[in-house]
Amino acid sequence: MEETFKYHSQRQALEFAAQIIPVPAEYPLKPGLPEDYRECFERLCRLARAVYLDMAKEPEAYGLMLLETSNTDHNLARNSYRSIQRFVDTLNALFKNGEVSSHSLIVNAGQFRSGIRKLPVVTKYGLVISRLLKFGFQVSDFNGTMINKSADHFTVEFPEDPKLIDTIKAYCECWKELDQFRSRDNDVNRPLIKLSPQEFHHHFYRFDYKITADLTQLPLLTWVNDEAEYQGYDSRLKHFNEAFFLEMQQYKGVRYDGDYTYKGKRIARITPIGYTAMGDAEFRLSLKLKDMDNYADFIQELPEGIKKPMQEDSCRYCGFQGSTKEYCKFRLHWTIDGAAHIGCSFWCFNFDSYEIEDVPYYARLLALEYGLEKV
């Protein structure tokens, strides 16, 4: 029986917990990290899951946005989603402004106060710290609401597992270095990140072990399978996802960065259709096609499950960018089974047939559309 919630933030906190992917027993560590860091990081992930589960039970205690599930405003639901980030943003503000000595974090109080004020989702940071105390953290000079104004420095410790302090510090430092790839002025790490900046940013809040990995040694297939785990694909879609990736690797010039691209343009991706912040998204394989009449004979041979989205019209005559009923640069036209169809390039073609034997058909559609050649 599906669990029901009063607030969007409760369901969203559970999703954050579920999206913390398993830490492999062996993965290439970022140079400089100790060999036992994998085990330490796994313990940090267990703690993070527990915190997110606690959020789902008591969202008020963390200061989360209390938007009732009866409210279907997607923008408000997205703000609720962002409020879940308070936990990690508070941790990062602590460790970003502190140095570790003998498993104790010594935080510059002034820098912490200044940093935490710049975070729009972290108001009343004392709520988050109070909950961290319940999980075993000890924070000096904390009066239950804030760090004492008289404090120049304060300490953060975790007596039950002292090395956790070192683990969190290293995680935040690794993210600080990787996060530079989102800056237009620093492209050093961009080739190493196999997801878009907008997508990978969310992984920091899910304690993705890849942030602590030597990305030069991480196989591309690992990114593909981890993303399936992170997104919560069912077993059928996971198998399809891997098979589609391996098939597309056979074509010259096709790249994977979360999307499949050719000559710098997206040609395919597995994408959620719907509002993820509302929890109602479903996954579809989206192919960017526009010249279907050029390979109409092949379309006629497609299995019915693949052909179905190509038999549906999707143009809404929405007037986007001054379009009219007579003309829109995003409007697609094609004929199938003798019937003319009109679609929107933003909405078609989204396929939900995920049989392994479907993979060559999808790949062939892309090959015919873009003139792809096998390696």
Side-chain angles (χ1 to χ4, degrees), residues 63-302:
L64 303 187
M65 184 174 177
L66 303 179
L67 179 69
E68 295 194 359
T69 55
S70 58
N71 190 315
T72 58
D73 186 317
H74 176 247
N75 290 323
L76 290 177
R78 189 163 48 191
N79 290 338
S80 171
Y81 168 94
R82 291 186 182 121
S83 75
I84 310 296
Q85 299 175 349
R86 292 168 54 84
F87 159 46
V88 173
D89 281 343
T90 301
L91 267 188
N92 194 35
L94 288 167
F95 281 80
K96 180 179 176 181
N97 295 293
E99 297 299 330
V100 175
S101 176
S102 302
H103 308 309
S104 176
L105 182 73
I106 304 170
V107 184
N108 183 304
Q111 292 177 359
F112 169 74
R113 295 188 193 100
S114 176
I116 204 77
R117 281 197 295 266
K118 295 176 182 177
L119 299 173
V121 299
V122 186
T123 56
K124 299 182 179 179
Y125 67 83
L127 293 174
V128 177
I129 291 181
S130 293
R131 299 308 290 184
L132 293 179
L133 298 182
K134 294 181 181 296
F135 281 92
F137 285 89
Q138 291 184 358
V139 181
S140 69
D141 290 284
F142 178 64
N143 62 20
T145 302
M146 64 179 70
I147 299 298
N148 291 326
K149 292 182 179 180
S150 60
D152 292 323
H153 292 82
F154 62 95
T155 60
V156 180
E157 298 175 322
F158 196 83
E160 183 180 330
D161 183 1
K163 290 179 69 173
L164 185 72
I165 298 298
D166 305 71
T167 304
I168 300 173
K169 179 64 175 177
Y171 179 61
C172 292
E173 288 295 316
C174 288
W175 174 250
K176 179 182 177 181
E177 182 176 334
L178 269 189
D179 194 35
Q180 295 176 15
F181 83 96
R182 293 197 298 153
S183 168
R184 293 182 179 179
D185 299 326
N186 190 328
D187 290 342
V188 173
N189 292 302
R190 288 192 181 188
L192 302 178
I193 306 298
K194 303 307 178 183
L195 297 174
S196 71
Q198 294 82 3
E199 293 294 330
F200 195 59
H201 172 69
H202 298 289
H203 287 237
F204 177 51
Y205 297 94
R206 275 70 167 194
F207 295 83
D208 190 332
Y209 73 90
K210 291 191 291 299
I211 291 170
T212 68
D214 182 352
L215 297 183
T216 65
Q217 302 299 314
L218 206 62
L220 185 54
L221 183 57
T222 298
W223 286 88
V224 175
N225 288 333
D226 280 356
E227 189 64 8
E229 191 73 31
Y230 167 82
Q231 294 286 358
Y233 294 173
D234 61 25
S235 59
R236 177 166 161 261
L237 184 51
K238 283 180 180 178
H239 289 131
F240 174 89
N241 176 61
E242 181 171 329
F244 184 74
F245 167 77
L246 294 174
E247 181 75 17
M248 294 311 298
Q249 290 296 290
Q250 299 182 41
Y251 289 90
K252 297 177 184 177
V254 175
R255 301 287 182 263
Y256 175 84
D257 62 359
D259 297 340
Y260 293 88
T261 63
Y262 181 68
K263 295 183 177 179
K265 294 184 178 181
R266 175 166 61 88
I267 63 174
R269 73 177 302 190
I270 295 178
T271 186
I273 301 297
Y275 294 120
T276 53
M278 301 288 290
D280 60 0
E282 297 180 351
F283 293 103
R284 297 288 185 270
L285 173 66
S286 175
L287 303 184
K288 300 294 287 185
L289 309 173
K290 65 176 182 178
D291 295 319
M292 291 73 68
D293 285 346
N294 291 342
Y295 42 91
D297 290 345
F298 177 71
I299 292 176
Q300 293 297 126
E301 301 171 6
L302 292 173

